[in-house]
Amino acid sequence: MGKNRDLIQILLIVIIGMFIPFLGSIVITFGLDITDTNNLLKIGSTFLWFLLIFAIELALVYVYFLMTNKVARKKMDKYKPK
């Protein structure tokens, strides 16, 4: 359980670390006022879309890793002495 908790903490730190530059770049690029609630909702929804697209990308990379690992294992098993 401790390993999973550590992983969750690291992922939360990474997400917060991604949000700070994202917030700064959105505010600078579009000149949004972060004290306005409507602008905060725009920034929040944009970041959530960013996280969703990033999660899809990570899932595709993970599936690719699993597939190539499976193929490599089959090739290695073919050359193992029995």
Side-chain angles (χ1 to χ4, degrees):
M1 185 63 184
K3 190 164 82 171
N4 291 336
R5 186 169 179 240
D6 291 343
L7 181 62
I8 290 171
Q9 287 176 342
I10 290 170
L11 287 174
L12 286 175
I13 290 170
V14 168
I15 288 173
I16 291 169
M18 289 169 51
F19 181 71
I20 294 169
F22 181 81
L23 175 66
S25 64
I26 292 290
V27 168
I28 291 169
T29 302
F30 298 108
L32 297 176
D33 181 19
I34 58 172
T35 59
D36 184 14
T37 330
N38 192 24
N39 288 338
L40 282 176
L41 290 175
K42 286 179 187 177
I43 293 170
S45 66
T46 304
F47 188 67
L48 289 176
W49 277 110
F50 169 76
L51 285 179
L52 179 69
I53 293 167
F54 189 67
I56 291 170
E57 178 187 2
L58 283 178
L60 290 174
V61 168
Y62 183 70
V63 167
Y64 173 76
F65 172 76
L66 288 179
M67 289 173 38
T68 56
N69 192 22
K70 189 174 184 179
V71 170
R73 272 196 210 149
K74 283 184 182 180
K75 286 182 180 179
M76 291 299 289
D77 287 342
K78 185 190 283 187
Y79 294 112
K80 272 188 180 177
K82 294 184 181 187

